[in-house]
Amino acid sequence: MRWLAEPLALAGAYVLIARFGLWMAAYMHPGISVIWPASGLALAALALFGRRLWPGILLGAFIANWIDLDWPVALFMAAGSTLEAVLAVWLLNRFDKFQSNLERVHDVIKLALFAAPIASLVGAAAGVATLALYGQLPEARLMQAGWSWWLGDIIGFLLFAPPIMVGWHAWHSGNRSAPALEFWTVLALMLVLTSLPIVGLDILPGLNGGHYLLFVFVIWAALRLGLPATTLVTLCAAALAIVPALMSNGALVDFIAYPLLVNLQVMLIMIVLSGLLVAAAIAERKLTEWRLDQLARFDPLTGLANRAAFQEYLDRVTAHAQRHGGNVALLYLDLDHFKNINDTLGHQTGDELLRIVAARIKAGVRKEDYVARLGGDEFTVLVVGNQAARAAASVAQKILETLNEPINLLGRDYIMSASIGISALRGSVTTTGGTTVLDDAQELMRQADTAMYRAKRQHGGFLYFNSSMNVAGKRQLSLESGLRRALEQNEFEMHYQPKIHLAKDHITGVEALLCWRHPHSGIIGPDRFIADIEATNLIEPVGEWALREACQQMTAWCRAGLDGQRVAVNLSARQFAQPDLLLVLDQILQETGLPASKLELEISETTAMGDAAQTLKVLTALKQRGVYLCIESFGTGYSSVSYLKRFPIDSIKIDQSFVHDLESDHDAATIVSAIIQLAHSMGISVIAEGVETTGQRDFLARHGCDEIQGFLYSMPLPAEDYAELFGQHA
C-alpha cells in the first residue's frame, strides 16, 4: 500500500502548507500569496522521492483551492501547480543529475536561475489565466498579479525546498551536528534586531536597518554553521522580514501596496540566494578537500587504504607495540598470474578483477583488521592484538578461500589464487626512539615480502617468515637475478631437435628446447637451468616467451615452405596449472598466426596426474582448439592405464631412461615393448626420446614405435641449422 500512502501523505502536507500560503495572501494581495511555500514542498518531494508522487500534489492542490473556489477553477489551478513542480524537477535534471543535497554551487544556480524561474513562469501563467478565465481576476490587475505570483512561487522554491531536501540528506547521513549555541545566538540576535523598528528603536532610521542586517546573519551562518543550519537561519530570516510588513501599530494589516510587495519579494529572494550560494560554496570546498584527502590516503580503484596510509598506520602500531607491548602480524598478498589476465582481457577487466578481489579480501578479514592496496596486485592486511600472530593464519586461510570462488569476467568464470607471506612482531615495552621503531616496521615488511615470494615459488598458499629464508633467499635472489637478466637481455634462445618417423624415415616434427646463451659460460642446455627456473617465479614469463618464440619460428618455416611438421613445446607443471593458460595460448596463436594443428604441447605424466579432473578439463579445451597433445616421460610417473583412456591425448613419449637400457636390460626392453602395444591398442602413437644407437633404433622399429628423437639423428640445433637439416630429410 506504499504506492497509495505516500501520495496521500504528500497531499495532506500540501493542503496544510498551501492553506498557510493562502492565509498570508489575505494580507499581501487578494487571492495571490507573496510566498507560495507549497511550490517548495512539491519540488522537494519530487526531487527526493521521484516524480511518481505527482498525484499527491494534484490532489493536495485541488483540495486547498476547492475550499475557496469552484471545483473547475480549483482543478485547473491544481493542474498548473502540478505541472510547475514536475517541470522544475525535469529542468533540474535536464543536463546532468541534480544533487538535492545542494552541496554544489552548480546545483544552487540551476535551481535559482534556471529551474525555479522557468517553472514558476509556467505555474503563474496557468494560475492567472485560470482566474481571469473564470472572472476571478480583473483584467487591469493581470500583470501585477502575474508578477507577484511568479515571484511568490520562486520564493517558495528557494525558501522551502532547500530546508526539506538538505534536512532529509543530513538526517539520513547522520550528519546533524551544528554548533548549537552559535545557532541559537544567531537566531536570537536576528529576532532582537528586526524587532527594534517595531518598537520604535530602528538603529538605521529610514533604511529599515533590521532587514538589511539579516544578510549579515545569513552569511555568517553560511560561513560557520553548514548547509542544514543555513537553510533554517534563512527561513527564520525570511519570517522576520515578513512579520514587520504584516504589522502596523502592533496589529495585522489587511493589504500591502504593490510596490512594497515587490520590494519585499525581491529582498527575500536576495536573502535566500545569498545564503544558499555561500553555504554551497563552503560545502563544495570542504567536499573537494575531503576528496583530495581520500586521494592522498585511499586507493581510488578499490577504496582501500593506499601505500602511504598503510605505512603511516604500520609505523604507528609497531611503535605502540614496541613501547607498550603487544603483537602485530602483517600479511603480504600477491595475486598469481594477474599479469596474464591484464594482458589478455585488457586493463579495464583487470581493474574490475582488482575491485572484486579487494572486496573479497575485505570480506575475509575481521572487522578490526586493516586492509590496504600497495599497488598493482599487491595487498596487505595488518592484524593487531595479543593473538595477532596466531590469528593471521586463520585470516590468510579465509582470504584464500574467498578468492578460490569463481570470478566472472566477460562472461567466463576464472579461479584466482594468491600467495601470502606472513611476518609477526612481538613487541616489548622499551624506550627506543623513532629510528628503531621505523626499522621494525620496515623489517616487518621485508620479512612478509620474503615469505610471500617463497609461498609463490611453492605454488601459492601462505607461509610464515622464518630465519632460514634469509640464507636461502639470498642465494635464490642471486639465481633469479641472473635468470631475470637473461630474459630482459634476450639471452635465451630456442634450439630444435627433429623427430623422425621410423617407417618413412623423414622428419615429422621438432621439439623446441630452451637454451641460455650465458655471457661468460656460453651455451647452457636446458637440463642445467630449467629446474632453477621452475623454482622461481620466472617460469611463467620464461615459459610464455618460449612458447611464443617457438610458434613464431614455426610460422616463419611454414611461410618459407618448410611445411609438413609440428613444433612441440614442453609445459611445466606451474604453466599447466595457470588459470589463464588457455587465454595465453589463444593470444599467442592469434599473434603469431600459427594454426593450432601445427602446435604440439608436451606435459609430463606426473603433471597430468596431479589433478586428473582438472587435467581432463584443460586437455579437452586444448584438443577442441586443435592442439596436438603428448604425455612425455611416460613410465616414470603413475603409469595408470585408466587415464590414457580418459585423456584426449595423441601420443606418448617413452622416457629416455628406458630407451638407454634397451640393449642391456631385459626389463627395460619388456617395458618399452608393452608400452608400445598398449598405446597402439588405444589408438595412441608412440615417440621414443634419447635414441643414440642403431641398436636402439632397430629395436624400436621391430616393435612398431612410430617416431624417435635423439642424438643418433641430430642434437638440438639453432633455427637456421635445423632449417637446413629439414630440407635434407623432409
Side-chain angles (χ1 to χ4, degrees), residues 238-551:
L240 292 173
I242 294 170
V243 168
L246 296 176
M247 303 295 291
S248 178
N249 298 321
L252 290 173
V253 299
D254 57 4
F255 184 79
I256 297 177
Y258 181 73
L260 294 178
L261 176 67
V262 174
N263 287 340
L264 179 62
Q265 289 179 308
V266 172
M267 184 183 69
L268 290 175
I269 292 176
M270 292 174 61
I271 290 175
V272 176
L273 188 55
S274 61
L276 286 178
L277 285 173
V278 174
I282 298 297
E284 190 168 7
R285 190 198 70 185
K286 290 182 177 179
L287 181 61
T288 301
E289 291 174 351
W290 177 83
R291 285 175 175 168
L292 289 174
D293 180 69
Q294 291 292 102
L295 288 174
R297 299 183 56 80
F298 292 90
D299 172 44
L301 179 65
T302 64
L304 299 177
N306 62 14
R307 180 182 290 272
F310 169 77
Q311 190 63 57
E312 179 182 328
Y313 184 72
L314 177 63
D315 292 343
R316 188 164 64 250
V317 297
T318 51
H320 184 275
Q322 285 292 92
R323 293 186 173 91
H324 305 287
N327 292 349
V328 178
L330 173 62
L331 284 70
Y332 198 119
L333 180 148
D334 184 86
L335 296 180
D336 299 329
H337 316 299
F338 173 73
K339 182 180 182 297
N340 290 330
I341 292 287
N342 233 8
D343 293 344
T344 305
L345 301 183
H347 289 281
Q348 187 174 359
T349 304
D351 288 347
E352 177 62 22
L353 174 62
L354 289 175
R355 281 190 287 267
I356 296 172
V357 168
R360 292 193 178 185
I361 293 175
K362 193 71 175 175
V365 304
R366 306 171 306 172
K367 185 177 181 181
E368 62 269 26
D369 298 331
Y370 189 87
V371 184
R373 179 189 175 214
L374 301 187
D377 60 337
E378 296 179 340
F379 298 84
T380 55
V381 180
L382 205 56
V383 181
V384 181
N386 292 332
Q387 301 297 322
R390 181 179 301 175
S394 60
V395 171
Q397 185 61 43
K398 184 67 178 298
I399 290 174
L400 292 174
E401 290 174 359
T402 59
L403 292 181
N404 198 42
E405 295 296 322
I407 296 176
N408 189 275
L409 299 172
L410 301 180
R412 300 180 67 179
D413 286 341
Y414 296 89
I415 302 295
M416 294 303 300
S417 60
S419 302
I420 302 177
I422 304 175
S423 60
L425 171 68
R426 289 175 173 82
S428 57
V429 179
T430 70
T431 57
T432 54
T435 302
T436 303
V437 173
L438 180 62
D439 289 342
D440 288 335
Q442 292 176 343
E443 182 64 14
L444 204 63
M445 283 285 289
R446 188 193 67 78
Q447 291 178 0
D449 183 60
T450 300
M452 182 273 290
Y453 276 108
R454 177 62 64 89
K456 187 174 287 289
R457 287 195 292 271
Q458 296 183 10
H459 312 302
F462 69 89
L463 282 178
Y464 278 88
F465 175 83
N466 60 68
S467 57
S468 65
M469 291 182 181
N470 277 332
V471 176
K474 290 179 181 178
R475 183 172 60 250
Q476 192 68 30
L477 283 174
S478 177
L479 173 63
E480 188 170 340
S481 176
L483 293 171
R484 191 179 299 277
R485 186 202 66 240
L487 181 61
E488 293 173 351
Q489 298 185 6
N490 297 319
E491 294 176 4
F492 290 121
E493 59 183 60
M494 301 302 290
H495 285 194
Y496 301 90
Q497 187 174 35
K499 297 180 181 180
I500 309 298
H501 194 284
L502 271 175
K504 300 178 181 179
D505 193 31
H506 69 80
I507 297 175
T508 57
V510 59
E511 180 178 2
L513 299 167
L514 182 68
C515 296
W516 182 1
R517 189 176 292 276
H518 196 277
H520 305 298
S521 305
I523 293 292
I524 301 177
D527 57 319
R528 293 176 54 189
F529 68 90
I530 288 296
D532 293 327
I533 291 181
E534 290 181 344
T536 70
N537 63 344
L538 290 175
I539 186 61
E540 288 89 354
V542 171
E544 184 176 334
W545 178 89
L547 180 59
R548 179 176 280 103
E549 183 70 16
C551 290

Side-chain angles (χ1 to χ4, degrees), residues 86-170:
V86 173
L87 177 61
V89 174
W90 182 81
L91 290 171
L92 286 173
N93 292 281
R94 180 67 182 88
F95 301 107
D96 63 342
K97 185 171 177 57
F98 174 68
Q99 294 185 9
S100 54
N101 58 12
L102 296 180
E103 291 184 345
R104 299 186 307 180
V105 174
H106 171 66
D107 291 314
V108 174
I109 292 176
K110 274 204 306 184
L111 172 61
L113 303 181
F114 180 58
I118 295 176
S120 297
L121 185 62
V122 173
V128 170
T130 300
L131 291 177
L133 181 64
Y134 283 90
Q136 301 289 324
L137 188 65
E139 185 177 346
R141 305 176 84 181
L142 285 179
M143 290 299 296
Q144 290 184 356
W147 182 259
S148 296
W149 194 312
W150 180 58
L151 292 178
D153 282 9
I154 291 176
I155 296 171
F157 278 131
L158 300 183
L159 189 59
F160 287 88
I164 298 172
M165 295 188 298
V166 173
W168 187 89
H169 283 288

